[in-house]
Amino acid sequence: GYVTAASGYELSYTPNPNGFGTGTIVNVIRDGVTVDSYTILIYGDVNGDGSIDSIDAGIMVDYENYLIPWEPAADAAYLKAADLNGDNSIDSLDAGITVDAENYAVTIDQTTGLAA
């Protein structure tokens, strides 16, 4: 509902394993040919379900403690979505912002990725 294709183009979506959130691929198609492809990024949503909640915070803490690996190239959208204070590090500060956002104490600006 946020994006419409220009005349003569179509959009197709490939959800990630958890649904339509961070990591979803959007393809722009013209005359049956993919002409461009985009990856959805929702700041704070690191499990790709489209929600910002304590599950995401837990994943951030697990990443910080080396319990889960993210590959810089393959998981770039998740790494970007997790850095909510803009310090280029994913840690408990980012997890705390996620919990604050879940509890409506802060909002996450989906343009900058920073808490407000």
Side-chain angles (χ1 to χ4, degrees), residues 41-45 52 60 79-91 93-98 100-102 105-116:
L41 186 149
I42 300 171
Y43 289 103
D45 173 32
I52 302 166
M60 292 174 193
L79 289 163
K80 182 84 173 164
D83 185 17
L84 298 175
N85 63 354
D87 67 354
N88 295 315
S89 179
I90 299 164
D91 53 27
L93 295 173
D94 301 300
I97 293 169
T98 303
D100 287 348
E102 177 182 29
V106 299
T107 58
I108 299 171
D109 184 319
Q110 291 300 315
T111 303
T112 66
L114 300 176

Side-chain angles (χ1 to χ4, degrees), residues 50-61:
S51 296
I52 302 166
D53 54 28
S54 57
I55 295 170
D56 300 299
I59 291 170
M60 292 174 193
V61 171

Side-chain angles (χ1 to χ4, degrees), residues 6-87:
S7 179
Y9 292 88
E10 299 174 43
L11 300 177
S12 73
Y13 308 93
T14 305
N16 66 65
N18 289 325
F20 290 96
T22 297
T24 295
I25 304 296
V26 179
N27 293 309
V28 180
I29 301 168
R30 183 173 178 108
D31 299 324
V33 177
T34 298
V35 294
D36 217 338
S37 186
Y38 299 92
T39 301
I40 299 293
L41 186 149
I42 300 171
Y43 289 103
D45 173 32
V46 297
N47 71 340
D49 67 356
S51 296
I52 302 166
D53 54 28
S54 57
I55 295 170
D56 300 299
I59 291 170
M60 292 174 193
V61 171
D62 286 350
Y63 177 80
E64 175 186 25
N65 291 311
Y66 305 101
L67 298 175
I68 60 167
W70 276 335
E71 297 297 322
D75 299 317
Y78 299 104
L79 289 163
K80 182 84 173 164
D83 185 17
L84 298 175
N85 63 354
D87 67 354

